Amino acid sequence: MGFYLAQLLTGLANASSLFLIASGLSIIFGVTRIVNFAHGSFYMLGAYLAYTLVTTLQGGIPGYWFSVLAAAVLVGGIGLVVEMTILRRIYRAPELFQLVATFGVVLIVQDATLAIWGAEDLLGPRAPGLDRAVRLMGEPIPEYDLALIAIGPAVLAAIWLVFHRTRWGILVRAATQDREMVGALGVNQAWLFSAAFVLGSALAGLGGALQIPREAVSLQMDLSIIGEAFVVVVIGGMGSVTGAFVAAVLISVLNAFAILIFPQISIVLPFVVMAAVLIVRPYGLFGRPGSEHGGTEEPEQPLRLLDQRSTMVLLALVAMLAFSPAVVSDFTTILLVDVMVATLFAVSLHFMMGVGGMVSFGHAAYFGVGAYAAAMAVKVLGWGMLPAMALGPVAAALAALFFGWFCVRLSGVYLAMLTMAAAQILWGVTFQWQDVTGGDDGILGVWPDEWASSDRVYFYLALVLCLGGIWLLRRVAHSPFGYTLRGVRDSRIRAEAIGIDTRFHQWMGFTLAGTLAGLAGVVFVFSKGSVFPDALSIGHSIDGLIMVLLGGIHALAGPVYGAMAMVLIEDWVSRLDYWRFIFGGIILTVVLLAPDGLAGGVRRLIQLVRRDAA
Amino acid sequence: MTPVLEVRGLSKAFGGVQAVDDVSFELRQGEFLALIGPNGAGKTTCFNMLNGYLPPSSGSVKLNGRELIGTPPRRIWRLGVGRTFQITATFLSMTVLENVQMALISHHRRVYDLFSRATRMYLDEAMALLDLVSMREQADRPCSELAYGDLKRLELAIALAHEPALLLMDEPTAGMAPSERVALMGLTADIVARGKVSVVFTEHDMDVVFAHAHRILVLNRGRLIAEGTGAEIRTNPLVQEVYLGGGRLFEKERGNA
Ligand SMILES: Nc1ncnc2c1ncn2[C@@H]1O[C@H](COP(=O)(O)OP(=O)(O)O)[C@@H](O)[C@H]1O
Ligand SMILES: [Mg+2]
């Protein structure tokens, strides 16, 4: 009995930390409609700042709590700077821009933190006065956990009071429900948004600061917490602080008991719960419909088939690519395979997002399933390369069929979150299922068959598969199927009114995009000879989003430019120290200054040249 | 002869609001029927139940004797019911022509075709439909650039693409200049006169209604309060009360419809 009580209390203590960060995320989303990936960075900064303050002040009990609060306030200040310099400019931008911009902030904060505090994990001191354990029913319970259990509800009560008893809080709630109305009341929106963002980031900072006696302060804190924080916000209902609390308790307590029965479950459990909740309640436990979308997009221009000249240019480029192994080094040949893989991956993601209007935060899942299926076919089943290559996309298609069925029932941010949950579940499975997938060690030694083992032959194989995949998706984009998909994206009600089964159509579009991502994964795995759970990670999904955004979402050619730029930039900057900083800067520059991406830039350039020629 | 459309006891409540209350009517082959009433009377809600966007609280809707309740909008469309929306719904990232082509592609059951070029399909048919609503010159313009009145005409072309037996037009002329209204409804009347399609439309412009409608239904607060020809409706005391008593309101609504 005592043991179960101890488990419950551990669960509740975890729930408090999770609630602090999730409540801030939810407030920020509720008011600004921004899905803030940088929230994990604020949490991490809170921990680092608190560590520095506590260890330099050495001030006993008051010093500790002063440091924690000061760290939260400082993080709130950092949040203000980020809001005023970056986010304020993109409140009206589509979700993709916001997401990628906040991810740019994540990269910059990571390198800034590395530069200031170094790469070593830092072990924080125990909290003075709360550094022992009390015995409850014979089990030792850390005093600090009990303090945390009290802090969570206390913060919830404080937020509730602010939201119900102050003018500002009432405005925040009104903005969460109906933004236009607040505009109509003549409230200074900029101020309201900034203040909400500061409060949200300070809460994340508080969550991080309170964490230092419980875990080592490290550079991994940001991304390790963000997935779970999103889950809590989505389960609770985006914008609902009470919902965040209930969801945090639900997840943490479930987790505390589930690991007793099935220790491997903790990585995937939150995502499974989220998927289940979203299917039953598409807006989360306390959410309302209508709060799911970011900014509205400008209507896209109609698609055009390539004219003759562009076709010639394109063919010439493909021919150049085909002849390149004869002139360039082996190293460049391998890099070109990377470019082609990335391009197919980006084009498949663009097909889903740009053509299909379904923003995916988890597209890497299908890339990874394709790669793993092929690798396992070779290693476990002893298949040859070509049959394994055929199996990859089939497996990806099945995974996309399965998860897509759930995802297309939602839209906007909720759909995006469910795609992320699906990816995290698959990632968790590959990570945990040591016997079959090799877990963290991945699968090694997946090399092409003898005949294709030279870099040059494999290059041509990759060329055929990747360009074939890209050609197929482009062709489909111009086909009735692709047009219908765009139609559903533009106006579901009109599509339904001309006899289109909108959900089924999106489901098939989702599956096609997943299948082609799987093909990219297959080409990838045989070129590298190995695959690791990284292939399915959120980070890889975000790479895809960045490529689509760099290239420009509104052009079919966008992801091609984006993928080339991404691989080349990565190849260049990753040799530098602080490459994340540079890369984050590039991302922010594109988002803020060139929202139509490289494709838009190229289009403007062509127009300029044509006008001069005319 | 069975009526094209037979509506019996149709009702819809939203929470406490009885938006449509026990509405029954019939539509004969080739008839041009107006459904009028002040804003909030329940006209749009009625339409949404007729073609499957909303499940009614109770009642029955039969198309050529076949029950429609419980059938999703896309099936009802396949059964030959076209619809234009009070707030236009078109594919904004496509050209005018492509919007019509989409309806034709769906009509010919080609939406799962992965390899044809959508823009080259059913060109002549699509152009003919655009001709019908005098939009040929605008065929290649992006839909997002169109004036509101043009969008309404485009919606009519789309709605006619699958040669419907029944057309439901929700405020087809809202947002148009008066001369345009007359032209559009005159055109619709011509199409009806050919006898293949029957139309139910809602409209705030009484000139349009009295000029073309064969028969008029008046809805107020969800209930049918009158039915008859233009002359009968004009002299009906109940209608006068709703419209004359609330006449100001009615004029105002026209402005922000
Ligand atoms: N989705 C809905 N939820 C709640 N009430 C609704 C909804 N749609 C319509 N109503 C209400 O039903 C009544 C009829 O509306 P509507 O059918 O749009 O009228 P009309 O088209 O005649 O102007 C109005 O009182 C309106 O507020
Ligand atoms: Mg209406």
Side-chain angles (χ1 to χ4, degrees):
Chain A
M1 202 54 222
F3 174 71
Y4 291 108
L5 178 71
Q7 271 322 103
L8 176 68
L9 291 177
T10 309
L12 289 175
N14 289 338
S16 275
S17 326
L18 197 52
F19 163 69
L20 288 180
I21 169 162
S23 62
L25 191 60
S26 201
I27 291 170
I28 290 175
F29 179 84
V31 176
T32 67
R33 298 290 191 273
I34 283 200
V35 177
N36 181 23
F37 249 92
H39 208 67
S41 308
F42 294 145
Y43 168 82
M44 177 173 79
L45 283 174
Y48 272 102
L49 286 167
Y51 173 86
T52 301
L53 287 167
V54 170
T55 47
T56 46
L57 285 179
Q58 297 285 2
I61 296 176
Y64 177 81
W65 294 103
F66 171 80
S67 303
V68 166
L69 289 179
V73 171
L74 286 174
V75 173
I78 296 169
L80 182 66
V81 174
V82 170
E83 199 270 346
M84 297 209 334
T85 51
I86 299 163
L87 298 181
R88 183 169 286 186
R89 297 160 200 273
I90 52 169
Y91 282 137
R92 302 219 161 266
E95 290 108 356
L96 168 68
F97 284 68
Q98 303 172 337
L99 175 90
V100 171
T102 60
F103 194 72
V105 175
V106 170
L107 294 175
I108 290 174
V109 171
Q110 271 199 346
D111 268 358
T113 312
L114 175 66
I116 298 170
W117 282 282
E120 297 282 306
D121 287 7
L122 305 174
L123 278 179
R126 299 267 178 104
L130 292 170
D131 49 0
R132 283 162 309 171
V134 291
R135 291 213 164 255
L136 284 179
M137 300 174 80
E139 293 284 330
I141 312 286
E143 285 172 342
Y144 194 72
D145 277 10
L146 294 177
L148 277 183
I149 292 173
I151 288 172
V155 170
L156 174 64
I159 297 175
W160 193 90
L161 281 177
V162 169
F163 278 12
H164 288 80
R165 292 285 181 270
T166 67
R167 184 180 135 74
W168 178 78
I170 289 164
L171 284 174
V172 166
R173 281 195 302 138
T176 302
Q177 268 152 36
D178 184 352
R179 237 180 327 167
E180 280 66 37
M181 196 185 81
V182 177
L185 287 176
V187 173
N188 184 343
Q189 271 206 12
W191 176 79
L192 186 71
F193 281 27
S194 304
F197 202 86
V198 169
L199 174 65
S201 1
L203 283 168
L206 181 66
L210 285 171
Q211 207 59 6
I212 55 171
R214 303 184 86 213
E215 65 171 304
V217 182
S218 76
L219 289 168
Q220 282 80 50
M221 284 179 86
D222 53 354
L223 289 183
S224 68
I225 194 79
I226 192 69
E228 217 166 320
F230 274 140
V231 166
V232 167
V233 170
V234 170
I235 291 179
M238 302 190 92
S240 166
V241 175
T242 316
F245 186 79
V246 173
V249 170
L250 179 74
I251 291 281
S252 303
V253 172
L254 263 181
N255 196 36
F257 289 102
I259 53 171
L260 298 178
I261 306 160
F262 191 34
Q264 289 90 358
I265 197 145
S266 67
I267 289 185
V268 297
L269 181 86
F271 296 94
V272 173
V273 175
M274 167 165 128
V277 168
L278 282 185
I279 290 156
V280 184
R281 290 187 63 95
Y283 302 102
L285 295 175
F286 291 77
R288 291 161 201 261
S291 61
E292 80 218 64
H293 287 286
T296 46
E297 294 194 39
E298 288 278 295
E300 205 175 85
Q301 287 300 303
L303 282 186
R304 299 269 178 234
L305 290 169
L306 282 183
D307 58 34
Q308 216 158 13
R309 184 143 49 123
S310 309
T311 314
M312 301 304 280
V313 171
L314 197 68
L315 286 178
L317 286 176
V318 170
M320 267 167 65
L321 183 62
F323 285 115
S324 62
V327 281
V328 302
S329 67
D330 279 356
F331 175 76
T332 311
T333 309
I334 294 171
L335 188 68
L336 283 174
V337 173
D338 288 353
V339 171
M340 292 190 291
V341 167
T343 307
L344 178 56
F345 179 50
V347 169
S348 74
L349 177 59
H350 178 268
F351 184 80
M352 172 145 160
M353 298 202 329
V355 178
M358 297 173 279
V359 175
S360 171
F361 291 176
H363 201 54
Y366 309 102
F367 180 95
V369 167
Y372 265 96
M376 276 155 40
V378 171
K379 285 279 138 182
V380 181
L381 306 176
W383 290 15
M385 177 182 72
L386 289 180
M389 279 188 154
L391 180 70
V394 172
L398 290 177
L401 263 180
F402 179 76
F403 288 109
W405 189 87
F406 298 104
C407 291
V408 299
R409 258 136 251 276
L410 305 175
S411 64
V413 176
Y414 286 92
L415 187 156
M417 288 294 160
L418 198 55
T419 57
M420 187 177 86
Q424 282 301 92
I425 290 169
L426 286 169
W427 175 81
V429 169
T430 47
F431 193 80
Q432 300 274 13
W433 201 8
Q434 198 92 29
D435 303 341
V436 181
T437 63
D440 209 7
D441 303 329
I443 300 178
L444 306 176
V446 190
W447 295 111
D449 287 348
E450 192 60 40
W451 61 268
S453 60
S454 85
D455 286 340
R456 212 170 271 187
V457 175
Y458 194 75
F459 171 86
Y460 284 109
L461 188 60
L463 184 85
V464 170
L465 290 177
C466 291
L467 290 196
I470 294 165
W471 171 83
L472 176 78
L473 284 176
R474 194 186 155 83
R475 182 91 204 199
V476 172
H478 283 283
S479 76
F481 182 84
Y483 264 70
T484 307
L485 208 51
R486 277 172 59 230
V488 175
R489 175 200 69 186
D490 282 1
S491 171
R492 186 181 284 273
I493 193 170
R494 167 49 67 196
E496 191 78 39
I498 57 168
I500 289 157
D501 189 342
T502 54
R503 254 188 204 162
F504 186 79
H505 214 90
Q506 284 192 316
W507 188 29
M508 292 300 111
F510 190 109
T511 304
L512 182 64
T515 310
L516 273 295
L519 181 63
V522 161
V523 178
F524 166 84
V525 70
F526 284 102
S527 84
K528 299 289 173 211
S530 58
V531 59
F532 303 94
D534 263 7
L536 297 87
S537 65
I538 293 186
H540 191 221
S541 291
I542 291 181
D543 282 353
L545 292 169
I546 293 174
M547 291 189 275
V548 170
L549 183 108
L550 270 183
I553 180 99
H554 289 313
L556 280 187
V560 178
Y561 299 125
M564 284 194 284
M566 172 95 169
V567 175
L568 297 179
I569 293 172
E570 242 182 8
D571 182 60
W572 164 59
V573 298
S574 60
R575 297 177 208 163
L576 311 173
D577 295 337
Y578 300 115
W579 65 270
R580 288 189 193 84
F581 198 94
I582 300 171
F583 199 50
I586 293 175
I587 291 172
L588 287 179
T589 311
V590 170
V591 170
L592 296 178
L593 302 180
D596 50 359
L598 293 171
V602 170
R603 194 178 328 119
R604 281 194 298 253
L605 200 70
I606 291 175
Q607 276 165 4
L608 215 66
V609 171
R610 282 200 181 150
R611 202 170 324 136
D612 285 353
Chain B
M1 199 175 109
T2 55
V4 177
L5 185 70
E6 190 180 357
V7 178
R8 288 280 160 263
L10 198 60
S11 301
K12 178 76 190 177
F14 292 110
V17 183
Q18 193 68 37
V20 174
D21 189 2
D22 195 22
V23 165
S24 304
F25 66 91
E26 288 178 0
L27 182 73
R28 288 182 292 274
Q29 174 74 42
E31 196 173 18
F32 200 14
L33 178 72
L35 181 64
I36 65 170
N39 255 0
K43 305 179 295 290
T44 300
T45 306
C46 243
F47 273 20
N48 282 341
M49 291 190 287
L50 295 185
N51 70 343
Y53 281 98
L54 269 179
S57 310
S58 61
S60 140
V61 175
K62 288 198 171 124
L63 180 75
N64 292 319
R66 184 192 156 133
E67 181 62 56
L68 294 186
I69 299 301
T71 313
R74 60 172 191 280
R75 294 255 164 71
I76 293 179
W77 179 82
R78 289 230 180 267
L79 293 172
V81 180
R83 166 88 189 251
T84 71
F85 294 93
Q86 178 172 353
I87 298 165
T88 55
T90 52
F91 302 139
L92 288 182
S93 74
M94 298 182 199
T95 65
V96 169
L97 182 64
E98 285 165 3
N99 265 274
V100 182
Q101 285 174 299
M102 282 306 305
L104 290 165
I105 285 169
S106 176
H107 178 47
H108 293 281
R109 299 180 185 272
R110 296 280 297 277
V111 293
Y112 297 112
D113 180 336
L114 291 174
F115 293 101
S116 305
R117 310 276 197 200
T119 47
R120 293 182 188 155
M121 294 167 75
Y122 311 112
L123 268 177
D124 297 341
E125 281 178 65
M127 275 301 188
L129 284 161
L130 286 180
D131 261 339
L132 204 59
V133 296
S134 323
M135 292 273 294
R136 176 182 273 271
E137 286 71 41
Q138 316 218 44
D140 287 325
R141 287 183 68 192
C143 205
S144 54
E145 291 176 1
L146 290 189
Y148 197 67
D150 290 343
L151 280 176
K152 291 264 177 188
R153 286 195 285 164
L154 171 59
E155 278 215 328
L156 178 58
I158 294 171
L160 290 170
H162 69 315
E163 296 175 9
L166 169 64
L167 195 54
L168 302 173
M169 303 172 75
D170 200 358
E171 308 211 4
T173 70
M176 285 185 163
S179 61
E180 276 187 315
R181 294 181 180 195
V182 173
L184 183 80
M185 291 320 284
L187 165 76
T188 314
D190 290 345
I191 295 169
V192 173
R194 281 178 228 161
K196 286 208 182 124
V197 53
S198 319
V199 175
V200 185
F201 72 108
T202 69
E203 181 57 67
H204 279 312
D205 185 334
M206 285 305 129
D207 297 337
V208 169
V209 172
F210 290 130
H212 297 293
H214 300 163
R215 196 156 56 98
I216 301 169
L217 302 177
V218 186
L219 204 60
N220 188 36
R221 301 184 186 201
R223 300 193 72 96
L224 271 187
I225 57 165
E227 173 183 349
T229 62
E232 287 163 0
I233 292 298
R234 244 188 284 242
T235 53
N236 183 313
L238 255 176
V239 178
Q240 282 185 345
E241 197 182 304
V242 168
Y243 274 111
L244 298 180
R248 276 170 298 106
L249 210 146
F250 181 55
E251 277 309 311
K252 201 181 89 212
E253 281 157 14
R254 196 199 275 188
N256 58 27

